[in-house]
Amino acid sequence: DALVVDIVQAAQLHVDETSWPESGVLLWLWALVTTHTVLFLIGPRSREMLENALQDGYLGILISDGYGVYRAWENRLRCWPHLLRKLRGLAESSDGRVSGVGQEMEAILKTLMAAIYAARIEPPPEGLPVRYAADIARLQKLCEAHQMDDHPALRSVVREFLYDWKVILRPLAEPHLPLSNNAAEQALRHWVISRTISHGTRSEAGSRAFALLASVIETCRRRGVSVWRYLGTVIRAARTGLQLPALPAIPTTA
């Protein structure tokens, strides 16, 4: 409950998910990540999982990849590295036509990304949407021209851009916003290795225990606290019948 409170109150929330086997049943390990809090959940890959976690009360910015569930949240951002990887895949296609479109779209997105990083240091007086209007228009034209393309990968990628057009390009108007979902991906990395070694969990209780323990471990790391020392105090309190200690406090900035 304490983790959920911190998550819901955060201004920005990075979210990602990866497959997770539970006694032969395919579930998903969700990671909800803020600056100082991480919450892991294991369950279906459904909108309800996220809605239940956020208690229908999250008003901050959701940062994610292109999974359709996340479109239920209007206040969100897309991960640009995910999009660039898809465009790189098109650019490397053996189909010359598809490769050409992929290379052009990739070049435009990289130009816009470099402009966003530069604007964080010295914002242009006219704003990025105005300065790069021609690049934006060209990118949109390419997407619209190929949204009914016979090549399934090209068609899928350009439709993804069109579905999330405003969300993808939002950082041009607000360059301070994050461009990647690396925080969530990095939080999952250790547990993906654990999944490979353990082959997941074997019961609903085991999944709940695993997700909760992983949440506490990652949260302690982000708060600069020894997880072993904290868990030791929890175990000691439980064994002696004392009140369990609260989560380590979020560090204050000077």
Side-chain angles (χ1 to χ4, degrees):
D1 290 341
L3 292 169
V4 170
V5 168
D6 291 336
I7 291 287
V8 172
Q9 292 176 347
Q12 296 179 3
L13 176 61
H14 295 262
V15 184
D16 201 3
E17 79 291 331
T18 187
S19 58
W20 187 268
E22 180 192 287
S23 191
V25 176
L26 180 60
L27 296 177
W28 298 84
L29 175 63
W30 295 76
L32 287 70
V33 181
T34 72
T35 303
H36 296 109
T37 303
V38 179
L39 175 63
F40 291 105
L41 301 166
I42 295 177
R45 198 185 190 199
S46 67
R47 173 176 166 178
E48 288 73 21
M49 274 293 295
L50 204 51
E51 287 177 335
N52 291 338
L54 298 179
Q55 302 176 345
D56 297 325
Y58 185 65
L59 301 177
I61 300 174
L62 194 74
I63 303 136
S64 71
D65 58 20
Y67 182 40
V69 159
Y70 302 125
R71 294 198 177 108
W73 282 265
E74 294 184 7
N75 190 17
R76 62 190 175 91
L77 296 171
R78 283 294 307 273
C79 177
W80 281 39
H82 271 87
L83 296 169
L84 283 170
R85 285 196 289 269
K86 292 184 179 184
L87 294 178
R88 176 87 314 247
L90 294 179
E92 294 175 350
S93 171
S94 58
D95 186 320
R97 180 182 63 85
V98 173
S99 176
V101 176
Q103 290 179 49
E104 187 173 0
M105 291 181 66
E106 181 185 28
I108 293 173
L109 203 63
K110 284 184 175 179
T111 296
L112 297 178
M113 179 179 282
I116 289 170
Y117 286 135
R120 293 176 181 177
I121 301 171
E122 187 176 353
E126 71 271 45
L128 295 181
V130 174
R131 173 169 287 193
Y132 291 90
D135 291 296
I136 296 169
R138 178 57 181 166
L139 183 63
Q140 186 172 14
K141 185 176 181 179
L142 285 168
C143 291
E144 291 174 345
H146 296 282
Q147 61 182 322
M148 302 301 292
D149 201 277
D150 291 336
H151 193 281
L154 175 57
R155 182 174 67 246
S156 175
V157 171
V158 299
R159 285 184 177 184
E160 185 174 347
F161 268 83
L162 292 173
Y163 288 152
D164 273 346
W165 186 257
K166 291 183 179 179
V167 172
I168 292 171
L169 296 185
R170 180 177 172 181
L172 288 170
E174 304 172 75
H176 65 282
L177 294 175
L179 285 176
S180 80
N181 197 30
N182 286 344
E185 294 179 358
Q186 290 171 359
L188 282 171
R189 190 167 299 159
H190 297 292
W191 311 109
V192 169
I193 297 172
S194 174
R195 176 191 64 193
T196 302
I197 297 172
S198 67
H199 302 287
T201 45
R202 290 161 181 77
S203 66
E204 182 178 347
S207 293
R208 177 173 172 78
F210 180 93
L212 181 57
L213 187 58
S215 300
V216 171
I217 291 171
E218 292 294 336
T219 296
C220 284
R221 285 175 177 167
R222 287 182 168 264
R223 298 184 182 186
V225 174
S226 168
V227 64
W228 301 116
R229 187 172 295 115
Y230 171 69
L231 289 176
T233 63
V234 172
I235 294 170
R236 189 180 305 112
R239 286 180 172 176
T240 56
L242 299 176
Q243 183 177 355
L244 298 183
L247 285 168
I250 294 175
T252 57
T253 55

